[in-house]
Structure formats: structure tokens, C-alpha cells
Amino acid sequence: FKEHFDSTPVLSELDIIISQHDNPNHGYGILALAQILRDSNQFDSVVTDRKSNTIKLRRGGTYIPDIIASVENKKFYIEYECGTHIQSDFSAKCNKILQVTNSIYIVTPNREILQKRIMPQIAIWIKEKGGHRALTGKTVRMTTATALRHENPLDEQCWQVFYDMSSDIPVVQI
């Protein structure tokens, strides 16, 4: 390639996705979710670029949301979760999110991952934080990418699982 075109070859999209998101399933899932959000026509911008999404935290470290979707002056920090994190990493991510916003938005590829992996991890994280009373004023919203495709992401009803921290029991609409 170098000899023929006298140029350095660029990385393939797959190589870029893997370098930014560890694996293609997560990376392409983020891109597909971003397109769903754009297609909803509810947001002024939907950004997946890791560099521009990097947020320096007051307590040190950084938080890089998978997606930042904005409408008017409100930002939504959205995580695409495939259910592959160990609990300590998942809890650390949730703690970072709460340094930036009071609302956690999680989208999963399917209902099985939502119900069998993410909901239990959220329940453990809430318990680790001291229960729902320790998280007063915080919310956690979770849904699947498929469900989000057919709904307005700004409508509470499109989120299949909702914790408002007034109760240890989530509102589940699956």
C-alpha cells in the first residue's frame, strides 16, 4: 500500500471501534444507539466521540460517557451496557456518573442482559451506596435499544426500568 499509493494506510473502522471501545459489539452498539437517538429527532446533538465526551472529574480521574445527547441546555449521559463488566467496575462507573449528573441512563442490547445482568448490578450498587435513602434525588433509567427505537427517549414511559430512589423497588414496565 505504501509503495503503491505513497501513503500510510488508515485504520479500518473496525480497528478504530476496537481501540476506542475494547470490542466491536460494544462499539457498534454505541453507534447504533446514537443513530436511534438521532432518528428520534428529540436531540439537538448526539455525540459519541470519546475525546470530546471526556469529562474531568472534580475528585480526580475522568468519566467518558458512551453518548452525550443534548436538547436545549440539558445533557443526557447515556451508557450502552452489554453486561460484561465485573461488579466493581460497574459500580465505579455509576459512581463517576453521579459526579457529573443526578440521572443515570443505561441502554442494553436486549431484555435478557437488562434483566439478568444490569438490573442485578444496579441493585448491588444501590446497596453498596447505602440503599436508596443514600441516593435521594438520584434516578436510574434503563431500557433496551429495541424499545428505545420505537419511543421518544425523553418520555419517561420509554424507559423500561426506573429507580427514583424513593423506594428500593424499581418501577418495571417490561
Side-chain angles (χ1 to χ4, degrees):
F1 186 90
K2 284 183 179 183
E3 286 180 20
H4 185 72
F5 293 105
D6 194 30
S7 155
T8 304
V10 297
L11 288 174
S12 69
E13 178 183 75
L14 178 62
D15 289 333
I16 293 168
I17 293 291
I18 291 170
S19 72
Q20 292 182 349
H21 301 288
D22 297 328
N23 67 70
N25 288 339
H26 185 243
Y28 281 112
I30 291 168
L31 295 179
L33 174 57
Q35 192 59 52
I36 289 169
L37 297 172
R38 287 183 190 104
D39 290 346
S40 77
N41 295 316
Q42 299 300 312
F43 299 100
D44 299 326
S45 71
V46 177
V47 179
T48 60
D49 180 68
R50 290 180 53 82
K51 185 175 180 180
S52 60
N53 281 3
T54 300
I55 301 167
K56 291 185 181 182
L57 301 173
R58 288 170 282 165
R59 299 177 193 161
T62 57
Y63 165 53
I64 307 172
D66 290 330
I67 298 171
I68 299 177
S70 303
V71 59
E72 296 172 3
N73 291 327
K74 184 167 170 90
K75 290 186 179 183
F76 298 83
Y77 303 92
I78 302 169
E79 294 297 326
Y80 183 77
E81 291 298 324
C82 297
T84 58
H85 284 296
I86 61 171
Q87 185 64 46
S88 59
D89 291 345
F90 184 83
S91 294
K93 179 186 274 193
C94 290
N95 292 335
K96 285 182 177 185
I97 295 168
L98 290 186
Q99 291 183 53
V100 176
T101 182
N102 288 327
S103 298
I104 297 175
Y105 292 89
I106 298 173
V107 179
T108 64
N110 58 56
R111 188 181 300 173
E112 182 177 352
I113 290 171
L114 176 63
Q115 292 177 322
K116 293 184 179 175
R117 290 288 301 159
I118 304 305
M119 287 176 66
Q121 286 187 309
I122 285 291
I124 291 168
W125 170 73
I126 290 170
K127 188 173 184 178
E128 289 172 353
K129 294 299 286 181
H132 68 279
R133 287 188 177 91
L135 293 165
T136 299
K138 313 297 186 202
T139 60
V140 179
R141 292 170 180 86
M142 298 177 276
T143 196
T144 64
T146 303
L148 199 59
R149 177 178 292 135
H150 305 292
E151 300 288 338
N152 173 354
L154 300 176
D155 182 358
E156 291 293 333
Q157 298 302 312
C158 84
W159 297 91
Q160 296 174 316
V161 180
F162 176 75
Y163 281 91
D164 69 358
M165 300 309 162
S166 64
S167 170
D168 281 334
I169 302 170
V171 174
V172 178
Q173 308 179 114
I174 297 177

